[in-house]
Amino acid sequence: MSTPPSTLPVRAMLVLGTRPEAIKLAPVARAMADSEQFEPIVVTTGQHREMLHQMLGLLCVDVRVALDVMRSRQQLSELTARLVGELGEAMREQRPDLVVVQGDTTTALAGALAAFYEKIPVAHVEAGLRTGVIDNPFPEELNRSLIGRMARWHFAPTSRAARHLTDEGVPAEQVFTTGNTVIDNLLWVLAEGTGTSAFRTGARRVLVTLHRRENQGERMRGMGRALTRLAGRGDVEIVLPLHKSPAVRDALLPELDGHAGISLVEPLDYLDFAATLAKCDLVLTDSGGIQEEAPSLSKPALVLRTTTERPEAVEAGAARLIGTDPDAIVTWAERLLDDPLEYRRMATAGNPFGDGRAAGRVLAQLAEDFAAEVPVGLTASGPYSAA
């Protein structure tokens, strides 16, 4: 693939399908729209369709192509096949100069794979995260590892993530430490000041997010029981935005619905979520992005997982990996609620994930490479170089 003429903008297809992808690619899309060097082509796959399009409007992101790949309770293999096929068709129609994917979702993997098949270079935002356990989290650990084999640009959020990539054989000149774009977006949203917190009382405020596949079923039901014990203290207000996944709702609703002190709310748009996070005292989560957002706002985070691809927050002391045992969840939550010294230690640990300027670094590197005299195509360098 040859470099586009310097007089034409670079046609960059940004592929996203989930809420976290939208949040983390929105700063890149906005920066591209404001630049004369790029033409952003935003493609949504609909993996989180009900949550996605309203939020993209709030984040000032225009969608060019909207796919509809979701089917009720479809298997991952079915979703992946449908995504690769429809994204490949969109790429043939739109003819982008590069494809940008984010993170580790099935949409990201399929976007990278479809681009590879179409011989379009791939930029991977939030590259290099690893737990070292191929099925935990499932299927994200495998997804991001495979994307790492296909990407031409690897935009790592931290130096640790960058080292993971070079240790795996990715050429150092293709790895760039940028910080995480989630911080860009969080600061942008809070500066807008238009979100509304979901908390309604003056009690200690606990924000909970649960959705991981490996936690669904009996493990998640146990987490629900832990939350009822915590709410039973009588001095806390727990807000849990309930994920749209039927498996999540099947596990949590019987345990939590109607329980005093626990507010189950529909998924919050990102402006309201950011406002809720800013108002909370403590975060309990099995998600990824909130492990990055919480330290930015000095909110201690208890990570309800057995592994994390974001150990920087744990090592800094801003988050603690506590597993999924209900007793451990209650013990650690109460420790932070009742021990001011322990709470202060975590709340003031700082944020290891960036300064809010990651998107600018991504664009600067892409602009430099596309303006260079050498091609930036799939096989220009790296693991797939021609011998």
Side-chain angles (χ1 to χ4, degrees), residues 1 11 13 41 90-98 120:
M1 178 178 178
R11 291 171 58 81
M13 177 176 283
I41 303 167
M91 290 171 194
R92 290 188 293 274
E93 291 176 353
Q94 296 294 326
R95 301 179 63 82
D97 299 307
L98 80 150
I120 304 168

Side-chain angles (χ1 to χ4, degrees), residues 20-21 23-25 28 100-105 108 123-130 140 143-145 147-148 153-158 161-162 165 176 178-183 288-293 309-310 353 358 362:
E21 287 170 306
I23 291 167
K24 293 182 176 183
L25 283 181
V28 179
V100 183
V101 299
Q102 188 281 326
D104 50 25
T105 67
H124 187 197
V125 174
E126 197 183 73
L129 276 63
R130 300 288 186 270
E140 289 85 0
N143 288 349
R144 55 187 168 232
S145 297
I147 296 168
W153 295 271
H154 306 258
F155 295 112
T158 65
L165 292 161
F176 311 95
T178 59
N180 200 304
T181 55
V182 74
I183 308 303
I290 199 170
Q291 295 178 52
E292 299 151 349
E293 294 164 312
E309 59 286 299
R310 294 166 175 86
F353 295 110
V362 169

Side-chain angles (χ1 to χ4, degrees), residues 288-315:
I290 199 170
Q291 295 178 52
E292 299 151 349
E293 294 164 312
S296 299
L297 302 179
S298 301
K299 308 299 180 182
L302 297 178
V303 182
L304 311 186
R305 294 166 56 177
T306 56
T307 63
T308 180
E309 59 286 299
R310 294 166 175 86
E312 294 91 343
V314 176
E315 292 171 357

Side-chain angles (χ1 to χ4, degrees), residues 10-285:
V10 176
R11 291 171 58 81
M13 177 176 283
L14 296 89
V15 177
L16 54 93
T18 66
R19 174 188 171 113
E21 287 170 306
I23 291 167
K24 293 182 176 183
L25 283 181
V28 179
R30 288 194 300 265
M32 285 183 170
D34 290 339
S35 169
E36 295 181 354
Q37 295 171 283
F38 293 91
E39 178 189 349
I41 303 167
V42 176
V43 176
T44 64
T45 66
Q47 198 175 336
H48 286 175
R49 188 178 185 86
E50 292 182 40
M51 304 183 196
L52 202 61
H53 282 259
Q54 180 186 15
M55 184 176 67
L56 286 170
L58 294 171
L59 297 177
C60 299
V61 174
D62 294 325
V63 175
R64 180 82 60 89
V65 179
L67 306 178
D68 182 14
V69 300
M70 294 305 292
R71 305 293 182 270
S72 177
R73 297 183 184 269
Q74 69 183 334
Q75 299 298 311
L76 277 173
S77 55
E78 298 171 304
L79 173 61
T80 304
R82 189 171 287 115
L83 280 167
V84 172
E86 295 199 21
L87 285 170
E89 183 177 349
M91 290 171 194
R92 290 188 293 274
E93 291 176 353
Q94 296 294 326
R95 301 179 63 82
D97 299 307
L98 80 150
V99 169
V100 183
V101 299
Q102 188 281 326
D104 50 25
T105 67
T106 304
T107 283
L109 173 62
L113 186 57
F116 181 79
Y117 288 158
E118 298 299 325
K119 298 187 178 180
I120 304 168
V122 173
H124 187 197
V125 174
E126 197 183 73
L129 276 63
R130 300 288 186 270
T131 66
V133 182
I134 200 65
D135 61 350
N136 193 337
F138 177 85
E140 289 85 0
E141 180 73 5
L142 178 62
N143 288 349
R144 55 187 168 232
S145 297
L146 292 175
I147 296 168
R149 295 292 295 158
M150 293 181 279
R152 167 63 175 79
W153 295 271
H154 306 258
F155 295 112
T158 65
S159 57
R160 177 192 291 270
R163 286 196 303 273
H164 288 156
L165 292 161
T166 54
D167 288 347
E168 293 170 1
V170 177
E173 62 270 20
Q174 294 184 359
V175 179
F176 311 95
T177 304
T178 59
N180 200 304
T181 55
V182 74
I183 308 303
D184 300 32
N185 211 43
L186 180 63
L187 298 179
W188 182 86
V189 164
L190 291 176
E192 294 291 300
T194 54
T196 301
S197 170
F199 289 106
R200 294 289 178 264
T201 73
R204 305 295 299 279
R205 298 175 293 270
V206 180
L207 175 60
V208 181
T209 68
L210 295 172
H211 77 281
R212 300 220 77 86
R213 289 176 185 267
E214 65 268 22
N215 282 344
Q216 292 171 9
E218 180 54 38
R219 187 177 294 175
M220 193 168 286
R221 287 190 284 273
M223 293 177 177
R225 291 190 289 272
L227 295 178
T228 63
R229 289 167 56 188
L230 191 61
R233 289 167 49 107
D235 65 343
V236 299
E237 178 187 5
I238 296 173
V239 167
L240 195 161
L242 201 56
H243 198 277
K244 290 291 188 181
S245 164
V248 171
R249 294 184 173 225
D250 289 348
L252 291 178
L253 279 172
E255 303 293 340
L256 302 178
D257 195 24
H259 196 285
I262 299 177
S263 298
L264 298 178
V265 300
E266 288 301 309
L268 302 171
D269 70 49
Y270 190 61
L271 301 184
D272 290 344
F273 181 82
T276 304
L277 177 61
K279 288 291 187 182
C280 82
D281 296 304
L282 175 64
V283 172
L284 276 64
T285 185

